[in-house]
Amino acid sequence: MAQREQSFMRGTIALSVAAFINRILGFISGMFVARVLGAEGIGLLMMAHPLVPLVITITELGLPVAISKLVAEAYAREERLKIRRILHVSLAVTGLLSITLTAVSLLGSEWIASIMLSDQRAYYAMLAITPIAPIVAVSAVLKGYFRGMQQMKTIAASDVLEYSVQIACVLALVHLLMPYGIAYAAAGAMAASVISEAISLLFLMTSYKLFGEARVSGETWSSHLKHGRSTLAELLKIGLPTTGQGVIQSLYSAFQPLLIATSLAMAGVSTALATKQFGMLAGYAFPLLFMPGFITQSLSTALVPAIGEAAANKNGLLMHERMNQALTLGLKVGAPATVILFVWATPLTTLIYDSPEAGLLLKIMAPLFLMHYFDAPLHAILLGLGRASATLWNYVISTAFKAVAILVFGSQFGIVGVTYGIGIGLVMQTLLNFFSVSGSIGIYVNVQPYIKVGFCTVLMALGGRACLDFLTAQGLTPLWSVIGSITASLLLYFLALLATNALKWKPSRRPNSVPW
């Protein structure tokens, strides 16, 4: 048990550290691109990008999760040949699908652009990002293998390498293409992603060649594919249930820019202004909102097999312990992040993006986005319990509600209404996942940590606001006022957690637990 606990924690820590580095690198890259391209250029990027996740989702078929599970089981039974077969069959399926769909996307690019892009200047960016699908698909298969082998450091290193290369390529290509116009500069930023993904894939392939399973005597590609029908059936049995949600999510992401543009047009907003406002929301506010969530996302990645193992062993105590660890960590990370993004909304968007008007959108989303820090662990718990269908229907219901809310609120209140619509959809999705978990195994919520963190959060908000006003009154520059006040507020939050003994990693479920 202790060894499994260490494996669970090591995986979480490795992924968290890598995710933190990647968020910083990605944020630096995004900040540079946002300043050079402006809100209008970011809007073009956001419009061009959603087609690719759809192609990737279809080509992956949910196989990365299935690969990690089947590889782990085969490794435990020392079935080396099956591990190799799983990898070969997965690569053949994803490679064939991704190349076919990418070719179709390139050949039909003009027709796709005429339907999906509300601003045709995004066509070049869409064209530049399309070749990324086969690269990402093959990388996902290799990452699924390394997850199954519990080699999280390899995945972490490849991700850091990818973001490092991406920053260098973005700096070079955007600077090189900007004189030709904003549409070409946006295409250069997209091309940088393709190059960085290719470098990451080369790293993963080299790592597999050096540290992967040795070739079994007599094996060939044809023998793997000839006897791989049962292996493919096993993979699809696990992977297909998660593909449905991915396809719907990608389809919605592809049409969301058009939906938002339509709602803003109904509100009397011009196409150029709608593109700029969408860029502020998707390119300025959302990177700040998603940045602190790397810890819960990393924990969720390690949580799926942990919950699955506990459920298979019918270990309810361990299952609830892991669940409480994830939800409590989401609270402790999400609460201070919400305070910072709400209290310092306008100063942050002004300093980082030179866009004070984006501060209002960030301030609206911050309190609603607190639910995101709980949604990722809840989603992982449902997957670990084998309830992928529940996550699918929860997403379908919340997405349909979000689309209606965007159209209704956006047509009445413009970009502010769109922001509220997106936030309300997120809250609904989290609540639906919460009730699904509760209906499956019950949730015992220990109320003490929530009360303690709530008190610490209020103290942080009041102290941070007072500190910001004081530093500003002393004549400090906006940069140092923001840095100083945020640092002081985080220190106050941490000291308050220590004083209230709210930093325990291993929460108890009783006696102060409320069942759901």
Side-chain angles (χ1 to χ4, degrees), residues 324-325 328-329 332 446 448-449 452-453 497-498 500-512:
N324 282 330
Q325 287 174 342
T328 305
L329 183 60
K332 293 174 182 176
N446 189 357
Q448 280 191 358
K452 290 178 180 179
V453 174
L497 289 179
L498 287 176
T500 57
N501 194 28
L503 281 177
K504 290 189 298 182
W505 165 252
K506 194 172 181 178
S508 61
R509 291 194 297 120
R510 291 181 174 88
N512 298 303

Side-chain angles (χ1 to χ4, degrees), residues 7 148 185 238 297 314 318 376 428-429:
S7 178
I238 301 170
Q297 291 289 344
K314 298 181 180 179
L318 179 61
M428 174 172 282
Q429 180 177 326

